[in-house]
């Protein structure tokens, strides 16, 4: 397990950490966002144990999140007091929240980073270009502005409707399909899921947005937002119970209530009779509205799209409302302050939601029938309070004292193999309290809160901070963020003197990122390797050939069936057939190659008798074409050298060489020769080279552009190791 990382920064908000599925750790630090990725180390022994040594084993980049153009953020003059915030308008636009999307939304199926700044703008960032420079690619507020300006005509009120107060990503909504073949050509909805974003504006409207990247990306807006539903929260009853209802203070407080925390629960599918191919799914968003918890139920019906030109395989019809079968009236006596977190795993009979409260947290559990609303009579919602104590006894009656600091970090940890570990909820506070709770648990018994594994590292850093400054034990370690990824928990910590005035310059700001494994020590080594070191893919010839045959089979089967040379570029089909002739030992694939070559003869008129004759045996070669063949019928399907115009031979699936001796690397998806520099993309794991679909110019032919884009949509990760691509 790697040692702690020492960063010269200070967190600017609670929950300052977010860890993507691709292994990128984002840290919110004032005007900047820091992106931390591990360097490739040969073994775990290379990872340092001290903060100074461990920091050198990471790639750390940062970008400013508070720089906006005038078009992105125009000048706003003072408006009505209830709708205008001078604090947001004149703030430094520091980062107040960030979260990675589920994988599949950004370029090359990576995760997009959503950053909320104090001017109430929610921006999307991704690494663009060969240098991987982090760039703002979208602002969600623009979608809200377009939606509300049609019916909210008052400018000041429309401003409140478009400002975003909090947000969260929903779990990916993956449409269930039946797998067929070695590499099923599923749509994006099945492989990566439909990406939904939940935002709450300054007027307490809970808004669900369908977020996607269109295939035809305009340069000014690479993302499309479709507002599915909107549910308003304006119920003052139960909020701030210490305030006398009907008083002048209560009336003044009502327009100032904001929803500061929101999180989305799991998607649960429902079977409905007489609906044909329609797919029905239910989810729930939990929002801390003032001091009470609100549940918003979202029902989505997915039907196959009969208009494929829209780029969507499914049409979605969504409705949302406050959840009718999950009432939480018994939480009214508690002062809820957030954050919130859902806990659910396949096989659970209950769905759990955890919300931070004053001096503790609440756990509400609901049966599946109540969560989906399928049984109106099943409203048995159980709520259990878990106070936090500074004493190790865990009971105030035994001498423990209440811990009053609010929860500043919360993360759910789910083991990839449920049989090895149960789901855990880790939490920490700005007062140095840390703990985790396992799920499911028996509501009738007081299940304990365990000390987390990262707490030991936090105590070690705190003791060293105390010794270096001779503070006599008056030190507190604050927890600012927790994040989980592939068996490892990361915690962001800062150290401070206690019971005294603290003065700290920017040069003395320090934040420590510590890592610990989920579960027992026997799993610790496995978690460290899986999260920080990419596994070396199998490079044996048999394994590589088997993976390539999955691509070849898809091309050779699909092209003759479609019968359209405009849909399938003949040059790609010919390359796939030659690749099968060179290395395939699969008789069925060789027969498909023969059929594809005969189809090419019919379509192009080329003489392919030599290639067809070699489809009966394996491990053959195809000689380079002569100048006469390269200028005759069907010449467009043959490869020729861009340097000397000589024919290119087929003797390997990894490289190619023309008759004059020029050597090239072959694309591992289209099997074509890569003859130009700068038009490739690489697998970030095994470094296998592929053509970049975005860099294939019109000079290569529109049919090649269309075919390779179609292949890239189906095989959107490395065919050998499933690694993500990088430019």
């Amino acid at each position: 397990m790697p040692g702690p990382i020492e960063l010269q920064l200070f967190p600017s908000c609670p929950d300052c950490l977010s860890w993507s599925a691709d292994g990128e750790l984002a840290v919110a630090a004032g005007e900047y966002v820091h992106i931390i990725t591990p360097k490739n180390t040969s073994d775990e022994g290379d990872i340092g144990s001290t903060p100074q040594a461990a920091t050198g084993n990471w790639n750390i980049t940062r970008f400013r999140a508070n720089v906006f153009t005038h078009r992105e953020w125009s000048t706003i003059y003072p408006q009505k007091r209830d709708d205008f915030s001078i604090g947001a308008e004149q703030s430094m636009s520091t980062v107040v929240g960030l979260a990675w999307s589920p994988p599949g939304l950004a370029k090359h199926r990576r995760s997009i980073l959503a950053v909320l700044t104090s001017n109430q703008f929610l921006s999307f960032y991704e690494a663009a270009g060969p240098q991987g420079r982090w760039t703002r690619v979208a602002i969600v507020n623009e979608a809200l502005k377009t939606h509300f300006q049609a019916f909210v005509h008052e400018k000041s009120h429309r401003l409140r409707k478009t400002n975003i107060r909090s947000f969260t990503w929903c779990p990916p909504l993956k449409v269930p399909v039946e797998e067929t073949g070695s590499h099923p050509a599923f749509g994006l909805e099945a492989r990566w899921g439909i990406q939904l974003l939940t935002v709450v504006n300054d007027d307490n409207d809970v808004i669900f947005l369908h977020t996607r990247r269109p295939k035809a990306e305009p340069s000014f807006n690479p993302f499309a937002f479709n507002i599915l539903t909107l549910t308003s929260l304006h119920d003052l009853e139960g909020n701030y119970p210490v305030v006398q209802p009907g008083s002048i203070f209560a009336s003044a407080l009502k327009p100032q209530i904001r929803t500061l925390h929101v999180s989305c629960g799991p998607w649960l599918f429902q079977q409905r009779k007489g609906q044909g191919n329609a797919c029905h799914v239910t989810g729930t968003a939990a929002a801390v509205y003032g001091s009470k918890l609100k549940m918003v139920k979202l029902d989505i019906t997915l039907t196959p799209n009969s208009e494929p030109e829209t780029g969507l395989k499914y049409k979605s019809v969504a409705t949302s409302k406050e959840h009718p079968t999950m009432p939480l009236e018994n939480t009214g006596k508690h002062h809820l302050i957030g954050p919130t977190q859902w806990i659910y795993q396949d096989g659970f009979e209950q769905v759990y939601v955890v919300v931070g409260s004053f001096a503790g947290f609440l756990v509400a559990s609901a049966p599946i029938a109540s969560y989906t609303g399928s049984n109106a009579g099943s409203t048995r919602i159980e709520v259990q309070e878990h106070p936090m104590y500074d004493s190790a006894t865990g009971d105030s009656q035994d001498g423990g004292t209440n811990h009053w600091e609010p929860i500043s970090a919360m993360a759910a940890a789910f083991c990839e193999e449920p049989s090895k570990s149960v789901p855990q909820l880790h939490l920490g506070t700005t007062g140095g309290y840390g703990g985790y709770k396992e799920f499911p648990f028996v509501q009738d018994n007081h299940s304990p809160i365990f000390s987390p594994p990262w707490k030991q590292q936090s105590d070690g850093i705190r003791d060293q901070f105390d010794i270096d400054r001779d503070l006599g034990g008056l030190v507190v370690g604050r927890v600012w963020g927790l994040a989980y990824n592939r068996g490892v928990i990361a915690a962001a910590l800062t150290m401070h003197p206690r019971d005294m005035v603290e003065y700290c310059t920017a040069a003395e700001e320090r934040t420590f990122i510590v890592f610990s494994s989920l579960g027992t020590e026997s799993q610790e080594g496995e978690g460290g390797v899986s999260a920080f070191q990419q596994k070396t893919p199998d490079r044996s010839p048999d394994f590589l050939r088997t993976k390539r045959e999955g691509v070849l089979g898809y091309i050779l089967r699909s092209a003759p069936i479609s019968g359209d040379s405009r849909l399938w570029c003949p040059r790609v089909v010919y390359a796939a057939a030659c690749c099968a002739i060179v290395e395939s030992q699969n008789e069925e694939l060789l027969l498909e190659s023969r059929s594809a070559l005969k189809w090419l003869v019919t379509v192009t008129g080329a003489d392919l008798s030599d290639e067809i004759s070699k489809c009966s045996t394996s491990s053959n070669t195809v000689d380079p074409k002569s100048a006469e063949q390269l200028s005759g019928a069907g010449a467009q399907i043959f490869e020729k050298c861009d340097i000397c115009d000589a024919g290119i031979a087929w003797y390997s699936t990894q490289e190619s060489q023309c008759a004059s001796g020029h050597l090239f690397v072959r694309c591992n998806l289209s099997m074509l020769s890569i003859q130009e520099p700068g038009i490739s993309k690489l697998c970030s794991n095994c470094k296998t080279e592929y053509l970049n679909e975005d860099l294939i110019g019109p000079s290569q032919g529109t049919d090649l552009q269309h075919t390779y884009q179609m292949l890239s949509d189906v095989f959107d990760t490395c065919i050998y190791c499933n690694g993500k691509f990088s430019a």
Side-chain angles (χ1 to χ4, degrees):
M1 189 61 58
I5 305 174
E6 182 177 342
L7 303 175
Q8 189 175 341
L9 56 88
F10 193 83
S12 58
C13 62
D15 278 324
C16 70
L17 284 186
S18 183
W19 209 344
S20 74
D22 303 319
E24 298 164 315
L25 187 63
V27 186
E31 302 175 0
Y32 293 90
V33 174
H34 293 248
I35 307 295
I36 305 173
T37 54
K39 293 181 179 178
N40 291 329
T41 54
S42 58
D43 53 33
E44 201 165 350
D46 295 337
I47 303 177
S49 57
T50 64
Q52 294 79 9
T55 305
N57 292 295
W58 298 81
N59 295 313
I60 302 176
T61 60
R62 70 174 188 174
F63 63 87
R64 293 191 65 173
N66 66 338
V67 178
F68 295 87
T69 64
H70 182 73
R71 187 186 67 84
E72 294 172 336
W73 186 20
S74 58
T75 303
I76 302 173
Y77 295 99
Q79 307 290 329
K80 292 183 179 180
R81 182 177 59 184
D82 291 339
D83 299 328
F84 179 74
S85 172
I86 192 67
E89 174 66 17
Q90 294 190 349
S91 72
M92 297 297 293
S93 301
T94 55
V95 180
V96 296
L98 79 173
W100 291 99
S101 73
L105 186 58
K107 200 71 175 175
H108 302 310
R109 305 300 178 220
R110 293 182 174 271
S111 300
I112 205 77
L113 180 62
V115 178
L116 180 64
T117 46
S118 57
N119 61 345
Q120 298 182 347
F121 272 52
L122 181 61
S123 307
F124 283 2
Y125 289 87
E126 70 175 351
Q131 303 299 325
R133 182 178 180 181
W134 290 90
T135 308
R136 181 186 292 114
V137 292
I139 297 179
V140 182
N141 302 64
E142 294 294 332
L144 301 186
K145 181 179 179 181
T146 303
H147 174 76
F148 286 112
Q149 68 182 2
F151 54 90
V152 180
H153 303 291
E154 188 177 356
K155 183 178 180 181
S156 60
H157 189 54
R158 186 168 66 244
L159 177 66
R160 185 171 178 177
K161 289 282 188 179
T162 57
N163 286 342
I164 295 176
R165 180 67 64 169
S166 58
F167 78 99
T168 186
W169 289 101
C170 298
L173 176 53
K174 296 185 178 181
V175 181
V177 294
E178 295 182 1
E179 296 189 10
T180 57
S182 58
H183 192 292
F186 297 157
L188 299 180
E189 295 86 353
R191 293 199 309 276
W192 303 105
I194 298 173
Q195 308 285 0
L196 297 183
L197 176 69
T198 304
V199 300
V200 182
N201 61 16
D202 219 24
D203 201 29
N204 297 309
D205 296 328
V206 181
I207 305 170
F208 295 92
L209 299 98
H210 178 200
T211 306
R212 64 186 181 91
R213 180 190 288 269
K215 289 185 178 180
E217 299 178 10
S219 58
F220 59 92
N221 190 8
F223 288 91
F225 300 95
N226 179 29
I227 295 180
L228 298 179
T229 63
L230 182 150
T231 301
S232 298
L233 305 177
H234 293 291
D235 181 17
L236 181 62
E237 183 179 357
N239 253 312
Y240 302 105
V242 296
V243 179
Q244 182 179 358
S247 63
I248 297 177
F249 181 58
S251 301
L253 184 64
K254 182 177 180 179
Q256 307 304 324
I257 295 177
R258 297 292 184 269
T259 304
L260 300 181
H261 298 278
V262 62
S263 66
C264 289
W267 297 111
L268 297 182
F269 289 86
Q270 302 181 64
Q271 297 291 336
R272 297 183 182 178
K273 297 181 180 179
Q275 296 293 330
N277 296 327
C279 178
H280 303 275
V281 64
T282 298
T284 301
V288 180
Y289 171 62
S291 64
K292 64 187 298 186
L293 186 65
K294 287 283 192 176
M295 298 288 187
V296 179
K297 179 187 176 186
L298 176 64
D299 291 308
I300 299 179
T301 300
L302 300 173
T303 56
N305 190 3
S306 58
E307 301 175 0
E309 62 273 6
T310 61
L312 299 174
K313 289 193 174 183
Y314 292 89
K315 285 184 178 180
S316 58
V317 178
T319 59
S320 66
K321 60 182 178 180
E322 289 197 35
H323 209 301
T325 59
M326 289 186 67
L328 296 173
E329 291 86 356
N330 49 353
T331 63
K333 62 180 180 180
H334 301 283
H335 187 94
L336 305 181
I337 56 179
T340 60
Q341 180 67 55
W342 291 86
I343 304 292
Y344 177 77
Q345 190 169 267
D346 290 342
F348 276 19
E349 297 179 355
Q350 305 273 339
V351 180
Y352 301 89
V353 60
V354 183
V355 56
S357 64
F358 191 62
F361 61 94
L362 268 65
V363 179
S365 62
I368 300 297
S370 296
Y371 182 85
T372 59
S374 58
N375 186 357
S378 178
T379 58
R380 183 173 51 87
I381 311 299
E382 298 183 0
V383 178
Q384 182 174 344
E385 182 181 9
H386 295 267
M388 297 182 297
Y389 299 108
D390 285 328
S391 171
T393 62
D395 191 348
S396 60
Q397 295 180 356
D398 296 335
T401 58
N402 285 89
H403 184 84
W404 301 107
E405 297 290 342
I407 295 175
S408 55
M410 186 180 290
F414 298 91
C415 186
E416 294 183 359
E417 299 183 21
S419 59
K420 289 187 176 181
S421 177
V422 297
Q424 298 176 358
L425 177 75
H426 290 247
L427 54 89
T429 72
T430 53
Y433 179 89
Y436 78 90
K437 192 172 185 61
E438 295 182 341
F439 290 82
F441 62 90
V442 180
Q443 290 280 1
D444 296 336
N445 299 331
H446 186 74
S447 56
I449 301 176
F450 302 98
S451 177
W454 47 266
K455 192 67 168 62
Q456 184 177 0
Q457 299 183 59
S458 172
D459 293 341
I461 296 174
R462 185 190 61 190
D463 293 342
Q464 188 62 47
F465 184 87
D466 181 20
I467 294 172
D468 293 342
R469 291 158 179 79
D470 194 19
L471 295 174
L474 297 177
V475 178
V476 59
R478 307 190 189 279
V479 184
W480 290 97
L482 291 169
Y484 171 78
N485 185 25
R486 288 179 286 181
V488 177
I489 286 283
L493 314 168
T494 58
M495 300 297 154
H496 307 268
R498 190 172 58 186
D499 297 337
M500 64 184 69
V501 177
E502 179 183 10
Y503 174 77
C504 180
T505 63
E508 296 174 319
E509 292 179 348
R510 292 292 184 274
T511 296
F512 298 91
I513 310 293
V514 299
F515 303 93
S516 62
S517 65
L518 175 65
T520 61
E521 293 183 0
S522 62
Q523 298 168 354
E524 186 168 339
E526 299 176 3
V529 173
S530 64
F532 300 104
Q533 297 181 6
Q534 296 173 331
K535 296 181 179 179
T536 303
D538 188 353
R539 306 299 295 180
S540 63
D542 291 340
F543 176 81
L544 299 179
R545 182 176 62 251
T546 301
K547 291 297 184 179
R548 274 193 295 269
E549 286 179 349
V551 180
L552 300 178
Y554 176 77
I555 297 174
L556 296 174
R557 282 191 296 268
S558 302
I561 292 176
S562 68
D564 189 353
S565 60
R566 295 171 299 177
L567 182 63
W568 282 95
C569 176
R571 184 152 43 126
V572 174
V573 179
Y574 176 77
C578 289
C579 183
I581 291 173
V582 168
E583 73 161 5
S584 179
Q585 299 176 3
N586 188 330
E587 294 182 1
E588 182 180 353
L589 189 61
L590 290 173
L591 291 176
E592 292 172 349
S593 301
R594 181 190 296 270
S595 300
L597 290 172
K598 291 181 179 179
W599 174 74
L600 289 175
V601 172
T602 304
V603 172
T604 65
D607 181 11
L608 303 178
S609 56
D610 180 51
E611 289 85 347
I612 294 175
S613 64
K614 294 180 179 179
C615 290
S616 57
T617 59
S618 59
S619 302
N620 289 303
T621 60
V622 179
D623 297 330
K625 300 300 179 181
S626 63
E628 181 180 355
Q629 290 174 308
L630 292 176
S631 59
Q636 70 273 16
I637 70 173
F638 302 127
E639 282 191 299
K640 65 178 181 179
C641 179
D642 290 345
I643 301 174
C644 63
D645 290 336
I648 295 179
W650 274 94
Y651 63 91
S652 170
T653 59
Q654 299 297 307
E655 65 179 24
S656 62
Q657 189 173 23
C658 73
S660 301
H662 296 119
L663 192 65
F664 306 103
V665 175
R666 288 198 178 275
C667 169
N668 283 265
L669 185 57
S670 66
M671 310 304 165
L672 297 175
S673 301
I674 303 176
Q675 302 189 44
E676 297 180 32
I679 63 171
S680 302
K681 61 183 180 182
L682 299 176
C683 172
S684 58
N685 186 15
C686 64
K687 307 305 179 184
T688 302
E689 192 169 359
Y690 298 80
L691 280 171
N692 192 333
E693 62 274 14
D694 296 329
L695 301 178
I696 298 178
S699 60
Q700 301 287 339
T702 56
D703 56 345
L704 177 59
Q705 284 181 309
H706 182 273
T707 298
Y708 194 75
Q709 181 64 57
M710 185 168 50
L711 284 174
S712 299
D713 289 340
V714 175
F715 301 92
D716 46 16
T717 57
C718 179
I719 63 174
Y720 302 118
C721 66
N722 289 327
K724 302 291 181 64
F725 295 119
S726 59

